[in-house]
Amino acid sequence: MRMVRITKQGFLALALLALAAGVGLAQDKKDNSAVKPVPKDENWKKRHEGFVEIAKKGNVDVLFIGDSITDAWRSTGKKVWDKEYEPLKAANFGIGGDQTQHVLWRLQNGEMDGIKPKVAVVMIGTNNLGGNPSNEFIADGIKAVVEEIHKKSPETKVLLLGVFPRSPKAEDNVRDRIKEINKTLAKLDDGKGVKYLDIGEKFLGKDGELTKDIMPDFLHLTPKGYEIWAESIRPSLEGMLKK
């Protein structure tokens, strides 16, 4: 086999290319919108301020944090919420349309001031899929949310849920993206302050399809979907509250 010699100049050029690639990656990381806290409009801020007032009153043992899927525990999932979580002194800090950067802003601006929940149930990230092409960056945004919770309340245990499946068919591209994100999130489970739990398969049929009786728009849950959510996290949540 023919040997290829690399001159000193060639080696230097390769080294410079590698360095440039590393710098480019670092720059890209800095440009990751998923980790940059930002607020939204005035109506959104009013909802946020309502959560801040709830936090000021204290007495929250279980905190649900997320987007519209969490938000709808107040409506579609209310019957299940009243049975499962009202007795646990639970609060719902979900806002429709939120991405990781919006949740970060909320956490940094008062939503955990006055409370130190025993458990925070986090499910966020699906709305980032539309505007952020990088699965890694979205996972970084979710990681930042977990870290912010622990900055505010180090003793709070985080039940981190994998991003729920969306889109009707198992072979749809977004399903692969969610799998990659969740694979990264699973590494955050440290056996202490963070427990990762992927309940996505509980919503799926035998061929991996989503049906309208679980997610009518292939994203948001029906009452049956909220029953599945509650049943799927109950053992983990109960165990974390006992510790």
Side-chain angles (χ1 to χ4, degrees):
M1 187 172 76
R2 184 181 173 188
M3 297 292 291
V4 178
R5 288 190 176 184
I6 300 177
T7 64
K8 184 177 180 181
Q9 290 84 355
F11 181 82
L12 180 59
L14 288 172
L16 288 172
L17 282 172
L19 178 62
V23 170
L25 180 60
Q27 184 63 42
D28 288 343
K29 286 275 189 181
K30 289 180 182 178
D31 293 337
N32 181 8
S33 62
V35 300
K36 294 181 178 180
V38 293
K40 293 168 78 173
D41 59 27
E42 289 305 312
N43 288 332
W44 181 89
K45 285 184 178 178
K46 285 179 182 177
R47 294 201 66 192
H48 158 68
E49 289 163 4
F51 296 160
V52 172
E53 291 304 311
I54 292 171
K56 285 179 180 177
K57 294 176 184 176
N59 201 33
V60 173
D61 284 346
V62 179
L63 179 62
F64 280 71
I65 299 170
D67 49 39
S68 58
I69 305 172
T70 295
D71 194 355
W73 277 115
R74 297 183 180 87
S75 52
T76 312
K78 189 175 188 307
K79 185 176 180 181
V80 182
W81 177 275
D82 290 347
K83 177 185 175 184
E84 294 279 343
Y85 304 122
E86 197 67 35
L88 299 180
K89 299 180 183 177
N92 179 352
F93 286 5
I95 298 183
D98 266 16
Q99 300 179 34
T100 54
Q101 58 266 38
H102 306 124
V103 172
L104 281 171
W105 191 92
R106 292 199 275 125
L107 292 172
Q108 291 179 2
N109 286 273
E111 289 193 10
M112 287 192 70
D113 294 353
I115 57 173
K116 294 190 180 298
K118 294 178 181 177
V119 179
V121 182
V122 176
M123 209 283 290
I124 191 68
T126 196
N127 290 324
N128 291 81
L129 286 161
N132 198 320
S134 169
N135 300 333
E136 180 185 1
F137 283 9
I138 295 172
D140 284 346
I142 299 168
K143 179 182 178 182
V145 169
V146 173
E147 290 175 344
E148 191 63 37
I149 292 169
H150 281 152
K151 283 180 189 175
K152 294 292 184 180
S153 179
E155 60 269 41
T156 295
K157 296 181 177 67
V158 175
L159 179 55
L160 175 61
L161 300 182
V163 178
F164 287 175
R166 57 187 293 178
S167 196
K169 303 295 183 182
E171 61 269 20
D172 292 342
N173 178 60
V174 72
R175 295 286 196 93
D176 290 332
R177 294 196 64 192
I178 289 170
K179 285 179 182 177
E180 286 301 312
I181 292 166
N182 287 346
K183 189 185 298 184
T184 301
L185 297 184
K187 298 174 185 176
L188 299 180
D189 190 323
D190 59 7
K192 303 174 191 174
V194 181
K195 178 176 178 59
Y196 171 76
L197 186 63
D198 185 357
I199 66 171
E201 288 190 0
K202 304 288 186 179
F203 301 116
L204 303 176
K206 62 180 180 179
D207 295 320
E209 76 279 5
L210 271 174
T211 57
K212 290 191 175 183
D213 67 322
I214 302 296
M215 293 185 183
D217 59 355
F218 307 113
L219 175 62
H220 298 95
L221 297 169
T222 61
K224 181 178 179 181
Y226 282 98
E227 290 175 6
I228 293 170
W229 185 348
E231 290 170 4
S232 300
I233 70 169
R234 188 183 298 124
S236 296
L237 182 57
E238 289 178 349
M240 294 170 80
L241 286 170
K242 287 176 182 177
K243 290 182 181 179

